Amino acid sequence: MEQYFVKETIGQDKFVIDDIESYKHIVKVLRHKVGDVVYLVDNTESLFAATIVAVDNDNSNLTVKVKKDDRPTTELPIGVTIACSLSKKDKVEWITQKATELGSKKIIFFNSKYSIMHWKSNVVEKKLVRLQEIAKNAAQQSKRRVIPEVVYLDKLDKLVDMKEDTNLIAYEESAKQGEISLLAQTLQKEPKSIMCTFGPEGGFASDEVDFLNQQGFLSVGLGPRIMRAETAPMYFLSVLSYKYELTVK
C-alpha cells in the first residue's frame, strides 16, 4: 500500500489532499485515478484508507473518501533517539534514511572533536530541510506513523539538553574491553525512551566520553567487532527491534 502523511487531523469522511508533492506523486507519477485507494496518516498518527473520488488538476489537489484503518502501529514500543557525530554528506543522508526505516523517532547530528565534516551556520537550515525530506520519504516507504525529527547541535555538550529516560554512548573501548553485557543489562529494564550516541570515523575523544559519563551517559560496547560510524546506529536499532518487537515474552 502507498502511504502519505498529511499535516491536518482527518475528522470527516472526505478529505482534500492539497500538498503539491503528494498530488504530483499520486496523480502524475503513479497515475492514480478516481476509484484507486491510497493510505493517509494524519497528525494524530491515525491511519486511513483513502479512495480517490475527484482529481482537480487545475488546483493540484485531489479529494478522497476516507475510512479509518485499525491495523496495528508500526512504531517501536519505545522512543529511540540516535545521536551521531557529523560524517560526510552521503553518510549523513544514508543514516537519516536507514534510521527512519528502522524506527528512530529522533535523529541528532552534532559536532565533536574528531568530526571530519563541519557545517557552517549559513548552510544548517538548508541541510536540515533536505534531511527532513529524506526522513519523510523513508517514513512513508516503510509505512510508519511518525516522521522522525532531524536535529543539528553545533556542540556535543548540548546533547545533555536532549537526554532521554536512558542514555548511552557506543564506545569502541568498551567493546575492546569486552564490556558487551552492559547493553543487555540496560535493555532488560525496558526504558520508556532511550538515546544512544555514536562518534565519528575517528571515534570520541576521551574527554568527550568522560564528560558524557559525568552527565549520566553509560558507555556500552556493541559486540566484539568494531563497526563503521554509519553501521553502529543501524546495529543498535536492530537490537532494539529484536528485543522489543520480535522476542516472544
Side-chain angles (χ1 to χ4, degrees):
M1 67 179 187
E2 298 158 34
Q3 181 175 298
Y4 302 88
F5 288 95
V6 297
K7 297 178 181 178
E8 302 84 0
T9 300
I10 298 177
Q12 300 180 344
D13 61 354
K14 283 192 177 181
F15 182 79
V16 177
I17 303 174
D18 55 7
D19 175 72
I20 186 66
E21 293 303 321
S22 296
Y23 162 81
K24 286 181 179 179
H25 196 260
I26 295 170
V27 177
K28 301 298 183 181
V29 177
L30 297 178
R31 301 183 183 277
H32 279 305
K33 301 177 181 179
V34 171
D36 291 347
V37 178
V38 298
Y39 286 80
L40 305 178
V41 176
D42 72 0
N43 61 6
T44 68
E45 301 178 18
S46 297
L47 179 67
F48 296 84
T51 303
I52 300 172
V53 296
V55 177
D56 185 346
N57 292 314
D58 293 332
N59 295 300
S60 300
N61 64 47
L62 58 155
T63 302
V64 294
K65 184 176 183 180
V66 296
K67 181 180 180 181
K68 192 168 184 179
D69 193 302
D70 294 325
R71 71 187 64 193
T73 182
T74 54
E75 294 302 309
L76 281 168
I78 62 172
V80 184
T81 296
I82 64 163
C84 303
S85 180
L86 280 179
S87 298
K88 295 179 181 178
K89 175 185 176 182
D90 57 342
K91 290 186 178 181
V92 167
E93 293 186 355
W94 189 89
I95 288 170
T96 299
Q97 182 186 69
K98 302 311 176 187
T100 298
E101 293 176 7
L102 288 168
S104 181
K105 284 194 174 181
K106 183 178 291 184
I107 303 165
I108 300 173
F109 294 103
F110 62 90
N111 274 326
S112 62
K113 283 188 176 181
Y114 298 150
S115 296
I116 63 172
M117 181 68 67
H118 297 279
W119 289 354
K120 295 181 179 179
S121 58
N122 63 334
V123 303
V124 170
E125 183 177 358
K126 181 179 179 180
K127 288 184 178 294
L128 288 177
V129 168
R130 166 68 177 163
L131 293 175
Q132 198 64 64
E133 185 65 20
I134 289 172
K136 175 185 176 182
N137 291 337
Q140 289 180 161
Q141 183 275 328
S142 56
K143 308 301 183 288
R144 288 192 57 182
R145 307 287 179 89
V146 173
I147 303 172
E149 179 186 9
V150 185
V151 177
Y152 169 71
L153 304 177
D154 59 358
K155 294 181 181 179
L156 176 142
D157 57 12
K158 292 183 178 181
L159 284 170
V160 176
D161 298 325
M162 312 292 286
K163 288 173 66 176
E164 299 290 350
D165 182 39
T166 293
N167 301 280
L168 308 173
I169 312 168
Y171 189 39
E172 64 179 24
E173 292 302 320
S174 294
K176 289 177 182 177
Q177 296 166 18
E179 297 173 3
I180 60 175
S181 62
L182 287 177
L183 177 60
Q185 293 172 13
T186 300
L187 298 185
Q188 288 295 333
K189 301 175 183 177
E190 299 194 10
K192 294 180 179 179
S193 62
I194 189 167
M195 177 198 290
C196 194
T197 307
F198 303 87
E201 285 81 351
F204 282 115
S206 59
D207 62 310
E208 291 176 324
V209 176
D210 290 342
F211 169 77
L212 290 174
N213 288 160
Q214 292 168 8
Q215 299 300 321
F217 287 72
L218 176 67
S219 295
V220 297
L222 300 181
R225 293 166 296 281
I226 305 302
M227 288 174 270
R228 295 179 185 272
E230 69 272 24
T231 306
M234 305 311 127
Y235 175 90
F236 177 73
L237 287 164
S238 299
V239 167
L240 294 183
S241 176
Y242 177 77
K243 169 64 179 176
Y244 297 118
E245 294 183 306
L246 302 181
T247 303
V248 178
K249 296 183 178 181

